[in-house]
Amino acid sequence: MARINLTVDGSQVSDDVEPRMLLVQYLREQLGKTGTVIGCDTSNCGACTVHLDGTSVKSCNVLAVQADGAEVTTIEGLAAEDGTLHPVQEAFRECHGLQCGFCTPGMIMQTVDLLKDNPDPSEEAIRLGLEGNLCRCTGYHNIVRAVQHAAGTTEGASA
Amino acid sequence: MIPAAFEYVAPTSVEEALAALAEHGDDAKIIAGGQSLLPVLRMRLNAPEWVIDLGRIDSLRGVRDGGDHLVIGAMTTHHDVGRDPLVHEHALLISKAITHLADAQVRHRGTFGGALAHADPAGDLGAPALALGSTFVVQGPGGTREIPGADFFVDLFETAISDDEILTEVRVPKHDGWGASYEKFVRIAHQWPIVAVAATVRLEGDTIAEARVGLTNMGSTPLRAHAVEEALAGRPATEDAVAGAAALVADGTNPPSDLNGDADYRRHIATVMTRRAVLAAAGRG
């Protein structure tokens, strides 16, 4: 077992973990943060995307021990303490940027990273920026609209 | 799936990492960014007893100017290499290839040296690194050793790095003013390339003075297309001239046959991608 100390969604946590434990397992099974989901188990789908020290990563492809000392933000840490949604969460709701909703936590976390890097992305930049996130319902059009809505680059057509 | 159990050590210096490697030898795997290794461990295709993590060794990160070449630290992430202004100015081909490498999340974790040491013939960095004439610097118990690009890739997932050595940096000769393009042929988003071609050219007026061409997934290692490079030198940067040179690209290659296409199909695609890559690198794409 290895001792890890990190900050998750603003809270300090400290645990003994097996070195082989994946970050996504740690978040879900040890901390109960099941908002971060496991979609594919092959590091393709991006549903498990979280922020590690401020940049997006696939948490199924990081060991918990590698996150020792880091700051992790999950989908559960995006909204304000009073429940006010993050603008990207609000945009996904407003534009109905989902169908079944399973990919949504990862889509939102990756969108936050994308807009931090490029606050005014073209449609192509949005599609490229979300390349690592798969929507098995293939509901990509409304997802792109939601990102545009969040960026303020369009009125954002409601579904 | 989760990996089989292993012991883990995260040294903070290359010397400590080499000591761990010497101690655990055959039972150890080195993890850099882990974006290729962790899926392998999760699928239980490999089950090392020890995992040695280079992620805490700060000296292996960063890009610096080495005079006539750039020095790219092995643990520099794809994201950081891709955004580095020195790389953009002096080795544009690498910047171009990285925009096509995997996806944003993987580029945030995956490392330049890790991907090259992994030596996947379908990886996106081998061809540009070879085309630019890179030298690979490894450190072992006996000190530092330089491996020329032509000797680095040995076979499928096999390099000239010895079991007791660690890749520490890659030296990339400067190609100032060279145009560059990486043309990657895939069917779906963030797929490994079926075939990809890395091309960089130096123009004199409308003439291609020099060209360097590397091939991804056209054999068990990344390849350099010397015949195409020679055929392009001194030729006009026109579609006809470039297509004529590109027709030579498949000579001497041994591409795989799989569900994405057989070897002949890949040879054909390679000629098309080579023409496109060279023309784009010459600003005629």
Side-chain angles (χ1 to χ4, degrees), chain B residues 187-207:
Chain B
R187 288 183 299 110
I188 56 171
H190 70 88
Q191 186 186 17
W192 271 269
I194 296 170
V195 171
V197 175
T200 189
V201 304
R202 183 173 66 78
L203 290 178
E204 284 175 6
D206 292 327
T207 300

Side-chain angles (χ1 to χ4, degrees), chain A residues 52-153:
Chain A
L52 181 64
D53 284 334
T55 56
S56 59
V57 300
K58 294 178 177 179
S59 61
C60 74
N61 223 14
V62 179
L63 298 168
V65 286
Q66 291 179 297
D68 182 28
E71 189 168 324
V72 175
T73 305
T74 77
I75 187 71
E76 298 185 31
L78 269 194
E81 279 192 15
D82 67 359
T84 305
L85 294 181
H86 184 282
V88 174
Q89 289 175 306
E90 185 62 43
F92 270 70
R93 187 168 78 171
E94 182 65 25
C95 299
H96 196 71
L98 58 124
Q99 288 182 31
C100 85
F102 196 83
C103 71
T104 313
M107 288 286 180
I108 289 176
M109 296 310 287
Q110 182 53 25
T111 298
V112 172
D113 188 276
L114 168 69
L115 294 179
K116 181 189 67 176
D117 195 48
N118 180 1
D120 186 20
S122 64
E123 180 181 337
E124 189 190 2
I126 292 169
R127 289 182 186 272
L128 276 177
L130 296 178
E131 192 179 19
N133 294 74
L134 303 181
C135 168
R136 296 311 302 267
C137 311
T138 68
Y140 293 103
H141 289 312
N142 278 6
I143 291 170
V144 172
R145 285 190 195 111
V147 180
Q148 290 171 322
H149 187 67
T153 52

Side-chain angles (χ1 to χ4, degrees), chain B residues 171-189:
Chain B
R171 295 181 188 158
V172 184
K174 288 182 178 175
H175 285 67
D176 294 2
W178 290 53
S181 180
Y182 187 70
E183 294 290 323
K184 179 168 171 172
F185 186 75
V186 290
R187 288 183 299 110
I188 56 171

Side-chain angles (χ1 to χ4, degrees), chain B residues 244-263:
Chain B
L248 303 171
V249 75
D251 293 353
T253 63
N254 186 21
S257 290
D258 57 29
L259 288 175
N260 286 310
D262 62 21

Side-chain angles (χ1 to χ4, degrees), chain A residues 19-20 22 25 41-44 49 52 55-58 60-63 65-66 68 110 113 117 131-134, chain B residues 1-6 8 31-35 38-39 42 44 53 56 83 102-106 108-109 189-190:
Chain A
R20 64 170 166 169
L22 305 170
Q25 277 182 286
D41 231 7
T42 56
S43 75
N44 273 298
T49 300
L52 181 64
T55 56
S56 59
V57 300
K58 294 178 177 179
C60 74
N61 223 14
V62 179
L63 298 168
V65 286
Q66 291 179 297
D68 182 28
Q110 182 53 25
D113 188 276
D117 195 48
E131 192 179 19
N133 294 74
L134 303 181
Chain B
M1 287 181 64
I2 60 170
F6 54 77
Y8 172 85
I31 189 168
Q35 301 303 285
L38 284 174
R42 278 161 38 204
R44 309 265 176 129
D53 184 359
R56 312 265 170 196
R83 298 295 176 87
D103 54 56
Q105 292 98 315
V106 169
H108 283 144
R109 284 296 291 175
H190 70 88

